Amino acid sequence: MANNWNLLGHEWAVDMLRQHVANQTQRHAYLFTGPPGLGRRSLALAFARSLNCPQPPMPGEFCGEQSECRDCRQIAAMQHPDLHIIQADQEGGTLKVEQIRELLKGVLLSPYQAKYRIVLLHRFQEANPSAANALLKTLEEAPSKVILLLTADNAEQLLPTIVSRCEVIRLRSLPTLQVEEFLREKGADDVKAQLIASLSAGRPGYALRLLEDESALEFRNEKLDDLENLLAASRVERFSYAEKLAKEKDSIRETLILWLSLWRDVMLRVAGEEDTIANLDRRAVIENLAKKLNLSEAKKLLDAVENGIGQLKRNVNARLLIENLLLDWPRSQ
């Protein structure tokens, strides 16, 4: 990874961005797309370092880890005076127009310390319509010393007028074996590396979080245990669980995302795609559900959870949403 900006994967993107810097052909705005945990922000920050390193060892590169200059060190720590990071307060939240307006007050100023003023708009799919429209004027008339870096799950979530003004970098998931080897290098044993690499769906950042944060894996195990127990539960028990989960406002979205991953595995198993199952340690429940459902039924259950995640942003009644999801789940007994 030494010649890849110290990043795992996305070599083609690093090569392209390196050439932009080396040839001084960088665009005024870039959009990095791909699922969370894939490395969008890490790539954007590495790009920012290559743009602003005052003494790069080679054109398009930046200081090594052992001899970082002040600019590179501050950007890596996300504490540079010419680096502005704008995002919603929490993942799944809303990036508001006031945040964009506050940004625009200073974005037209000359860089304070570095060559370029870098604005990183992280998870921009969370911007409300007013915030997205407020950014358009800056994209249309960006100052020459300002580089805008946006990240989003996919370009289709954003206004076409925003996407058309950006160089779009569509990042793809890494091969599972590559993530597995990366986890072994980080100290995971073979069993844990295989499980986490599979769960990560090719997202090294998410894989590393699962490895380093034991509570993340514990939370995942708890919510998938809940799913299995709910399959055998009565209607009254399911309603009781819906009431309890609805009160855990900070964890509803993460719970639904975990359930989504398991229902995706069920649908894949019904379709005969056994080799692509992510939740390897839940194979028994996946097999059991796959025997009870046809492909249409499995897809309907998957779509319902996915739609539920989308509805959470619209301030729906969370308890009613969860109740409706659970009512449609098959009984395991």
Side-chain angles (χ1 to χ4, degrees), residues 265-267 269-270 285-294:
D265 284 345
V266 172
M267 188 184 76
R269 183 66 189 92
V270 174
V285 69
I286 292 167
E287 293 284 349
N288 184 44
L289 286 166
K291 291 174 183 175
K292 297 175 181 292
L293 302 168
N294 59 38

Coordinates of all heavy atoms in Angstrom, one line a residue, residues 265-267 269-270 285-294:
D265 N -29.4 -12.1 2.8 CA -28.8 -13.4 2.8 C -29.8 -14.5 2.5 O -29.6 -15.4 1.7 CB -28.1 -13.8 4.1 CG -26.7 -13.1 4.2 OD1 -26.2 -12.6 3.2 OD2 -26.2 -13.1 5.3
V266 N -31.0 -14.3 3.1 CA -32.1 -15.2 2.9 C -32.5 -15.2 1.4 O -32.7 -16.3 0.8 CB -33.3 -14.9 3.8 CG1 -34.5 -15.8 3.4 CG2 -33.0 -15.1 5.2
M267 N -32.7 -14.0 0.8 CA -33.1 -13.9 -0.6 C -32.0 -14.5 -1.5 O -32.4 -15.2 -2.4 CB -33.3 -12.4 -0.9 CG -33.9 -12.3 -2.3 SD -34.0 -10.6 -2.9 CE -32.3 -10.2 -3.3
R269 N -30.0 -16.9 -0.7 CA -30.0 -18.4 -0.5 C -31.2 -19.0 -1.3 O -31.0 -20.0 -1.9 CB -30.1 -18.7 1.0 CG -30.1 -20.2 1.2 CD -28.7 -20.8 0.9 NE -28.7 -22.3 0.9 CZ -29.0 -23.1 -0.1 NH1 -29.3 -22.5 -1.3 NH2 -29.0 -24.4 0.0
V270 N -32.3 -18.3 -1.3 CA -33.5 -18.8 -2.0 C -33.1 -18.8 -3.5 O -33.6 -19.7 -4.3 CB -34.7 -17.9 -1.8 CG1 -35.9 -18.3 -2.7 CG2 -35.2 -18.0 -0.3
V285 N -30.3 -20.3 10.6 CA -31.6 -19.6 10.4 C -31.8 -19.1 9.0 O -33.0 -19.1 8.5 CB -31.6 -18.3 11.4 CG1 -30.6 -17.3 11.0 CG2 -33.0 -17.7 11.5
I286 N -30.7 -18.8 8.3 CA -30.9 -18.5 6.8 C -31.4 -19.6 6.1 O -32.4 -19.5 5.3 CB -29.5 -18.0 6.3 CG1 -29.1 -16.6 6.9 CG2 -29.6 -17.8 4.8 CD1 -27.7 -16.2 6.7
E287 N -30.9 -20.8 6.3 CA -31.3 -22.0 5.6 C -32.8 -22.3 6.0 O -33.6 -22.7 5.1 CB -30.4 -23.2 6.0 CG -29.0 -23.1 5.5 CD -28.9 -23.4 4.0 OE1 -29.9 -23.9 3.4 OE2 -27.8 -23.2 3.5
N288 N -33.1 -22.2 7.2 CA -34.5 -22.5 7.7 C -35.5 -21.5 7.0 O -36.6 -22.0 6.5 CB -34.6 -22.3 9.2 CG -35.9 -22.7 9.8 OD1 -36.5 -23.7 9.4 ND2 -36.4 -21.9 10.7
L289 N -35.2 -20.2 6.9 CA -36.1 -19.3 6.3 C -36.2 -19.5 4.8 O -37.2 -19.4 4.2 CB -35.6 -17.9 6.6 CG -35.8 -17.4 8.0 CD1 -35.0 -16.1 8.3 CD2 -37.3 -17.1 8.3
A290 N -35.0 -19.9 4.2 CA -35.0 -20.1 2.7 C -35.9 -21.2 2.3 O -36.5 -21.2 1.2 CB -33.6 -20.3 2.3
K291 N -36.1 -22.2 3.2 CA -37.0 -23.3 2.9 C -38.4 -22.9 3.0 O -39.3 -23.6 2.3 CB -36.7 -24.5 3.9 CG -35.3 -25.1 3.8 CD -35.1 -26.1 4.9 CE -33.7 -26.8 4.8 NZ -33.4 -27.7 6.0
K292 N -38.7 -21.9 3.7 CA -40.2 -21.5 3.9 C -40.6 -20.5 2.9 O -41.8 -20.3 2.7 CB -40.3 -20.9 5.3 CG -40.1 -21.8 6.5 CD -40.1 -21.0 7.8 CE -39.9 -21.9 9.0 NZ -40.9 -22.9 9.2
L293 N -39.7 -19.8 2.2 CA -40.0 -18.7 1.3 C -39.7 -19.0 -0.1 O -38.7 -19.6 -0.4 CB -39.3 -17.4 1.8 CG -39.5 -17.0 3.2 CD1 -38.5 -15.9 3.6 CD2 -40.9 -16.5 3.4
N294 N -40.5 -18.4 -1.0 CA -40.0 -18.3 -2.4 C -39.3 -17.0 -2.7 O -39.3 -16.2 -1.8 CB -41.2 -18.5 -3.4 CG -42.3 -17.5 -3.2 OD1 -42.0 -16.3 -3.0 ND2 -43.6 -17.9 -3.3

